[in-house]
Amino acid sequence: MKITGKKRIRNSEKYMSHINEGGKANIGVAITAEIAVKLQEIGFKTLLSGESLVPAPKFGPVSKFNVNGKDVPQKDKPKETVYRQQYWSWTDWDGNSHSRTVDIPYQRYPRKWIPAPWVELMIVQSGENKFVIAGDTITKGQTEETDIVHRINLMLAIFKQAEIFQENLERYEVPRTVKLGWDILPEGEMPWETFKHHLTPVLNSKSKGKKIIIAERLETISKYNPDFHAIGDNGYQGYIIFGFTRENLYIFENAEYGNATYVFEGDWKQLSKMTKAEIIASDIHKHRFVHLDGWKRQIAELFPHHTDKKIS
């Protein structure tokens, strides 16, 4: 996933959401003619695979921190008295020059020292393509979030762009980011535990009992491995779409107790432009499954070749 148009990011969640827990990735950029010029400006000489360096601190606060570390004010603690030195010089009435260094007391919050990450940039090659990557391969769920964010911000500070590559430096296939009243999550199979995290705003407003029932319905559909999800925004809030593009099926689920499940075929983009009322009232759905006994069986019948035989 490519990141452009930002000076820095605060967290990596949306840029890493398409990667499964335990998945490995590299943070870097592909070397184009423009990037090659920039690499030479920061000190690379040969641009051969394996050449590496720690960029100088001159590229702004992120690169400065990368080399020097930093003090972070601890504002949750009481201020303390510290001193800074100041050089004074003056001339007395008789024209004699005097000077001395004095310690000036002042109040400030205690500082916590954060060591320099010392992330290296390295030239690597895959096939005919070259890349510059920030540090070693990262592992989602194991590499510290602060480390991931720092590496992305270091690339943004120097190259004005960053990209999340697969471990083999192939690009991830990520979804279109089109706002159509839906928050379209990254394409690709998403484990239930990962998808459930995105549902927190949808489920939080429900009572405990309803939350369990609704989550069970959504988990049931997730077992069939949709290749994209969309969560309703604004007027569509509370609605979730599970996209099964291989089967040309789109399951429209309402995260409200007692509502029915609608199943559609056809053009997802066109469907997503319709209002909620139009979708339901136009009678264009292929199936309508009421949330009663047998609902799981009806969902299972949509996927006759699925290997999970335990769903009833």
Side-chain angles (χ1 to χ4, degrees):
M1 185 174 191
K2 196 168 187 177
I3 307 167
T4 58
K6 293 181 176 291
K7 291 185 177 180
R8 65 172 63 189
I9 64 168
R10 293 185 179 275
N11 65 72
S12 67
E13 181 179 351
K14 74 175 182 179
Y15 306 108
M16 300 283 290
S17 60
H18 56 288
I19 304 174
N20 294 330
E21 288 294 307
K24 296 183 181 297
N26 287 297
I27 297 170
V29 295
I31 299 179
T32 61
E34 183 180 0
I35 295 296
V37 171
K38 189 67 178 179
L39 289 170
Q40 290 173 333
E41 288 178 0
I42 68 176
F44 282 91
K45 300 185 184 303
T46 65
L47 300 189
L48 295 176
S49 181
E51 186 179 6
S52 64
L53 58 75
V54 176
K58 64 182 180 181
F59 299 102
V62 178
S63 63
K64 183 177 180 181
F65 164 58
N66 188 58
V67 173
N68 298 328
K70 63 183 177 182
D71 283 324
V72 178
Q74 296 181 282
K75 295 186 177 181
D76 59 331
K77 296 184 178 181
K79 290 185 176 181
E80 60 185 10
T81 301
V82 294
Y83 297 85
R84 63 170 174 264
Q85 288 193 323
Q86 184 168 323
Y87 177 77
W88 281 358
S89 63
W90 69 95
T91 303
D92 62 23
W93 292 102
D94 296 325
N96 299 311
S97 296
H98 304 273
S99 65
R100 66 170 176 162
T101 299
V102 296
D103 294 327
I104 308 295
Y106 68 98
Q107 294 284 303
R108 73 169 192 186
Y109 290 108
R111 263 44 173 178
K112 179 181 179 181
W113 173 248
I114 308 296
W118 203 251
V119 171
E120 286 188 322
L121 302 184
M122 178 180 288
I123 308 294
V124 295
Q125 187 159 353
S126 177
E128 297 181 357
N129 301 313
K130 285 186 177 181
F131 305 82
V132 55
I133 60 172
D136 299 328
T137 299
I138 62 172
T139 304
K140 185 172 180 179
Q142 297 180 23
T143 304
E144 292 288 342
E145 164 71 359
T146 52
D147 187 6
I148 296 172
V149 169
H150 172 67
R151 296 194 207 186
I152 292 173
N153 285 338
L154 184 63
M155 301 303 287
L156 291 173
I158 297 173
F159 303 106
K160 307 295 187 290
Q161 60 179 278
E163 189 162 356
I164 313 296
F165 295 102
Q166 297 182 50
E167 185 179 13
N168 63 0
L169 297 174
E170 293 290 328
R171 284 189 163 93
Y172 282 100
E173 294 296 328
V174 294
R176 57 211 177 279
T177 53
V178 181
K179 283 291 183 181
L180 297 169
W182 305 90
D183 181 11
I184 303 173
L185 304 181
E187 291 179 359
E189 293 181 3
M190 183 180 294
W192 166 247
E193 289 302 319
T194 303
F195 179 49
K196 185 168 64 174
H197 173 74
H198 295 278
L199 296 172
T200 301
V202 178
L203 296 176
N204 269 353
S205 61
K206 315 302 178 189
S207 66
K208 182 178 179 181
K210 289 182 178 179
K211 187 182 298 185
I212 292 172
I213 294 172
I214 294 166
E216 183 182 17
R217 292 205 309 258
L218 299 175
E219 183 178 8
T220 295
I221 302 173
S222 290
K223 288 179 180 178
Y224 296 99
N225 301 324
D227 48 278
F228 82 86
H229 307 73
I231 299 177
D233 287 335
N234 303 319
Y236 298 88
Q237 192 167 9
Y239 285 77
I240 296 96
I241 289 183
F242 297 83
F244 299 86
T245 53
R246 292 180 295 273
E247 293 85 0
N248 190 28
L249 292 176
Y250 304 93
I251 298 179
F252 190 106
E253 182 63 63
N254 189 342
E256 291 290 343
Y257 183 75
N259 283 274
T261 301
Y262 290 83
V263 182
F264 301 89
E265 292 180 328
D267 185 352
W268 151 246
K269 290 185 179 180
Q270 189 61 38
L271 178 69
S272 67
K273 293 176 184 177
M274 299 173 67
T275 67
K276 176 177 62 180
E278 287 172 340
I279 289 174
I280 295 174
S282 62
D283 199 30
I284 62 173
H285 55 271
K286 181 178 177 67
H287 301 289
R288 179 179 181 272
F289 300 146
V290 178
H291 295 137
L292 296 172
D293 285 345
W295 177 86
K296 287 186 178 181
R297 174 183 51 77
Q298 291 175 308
I299 295 295
E301 289 173 352
L302 296 173
F303 307 96
H305 303 299
H306 194 271
T307 56
D308 191 342
K309 304 299 183 183
K310 297 180 181 180
I311 298 175
S312 59

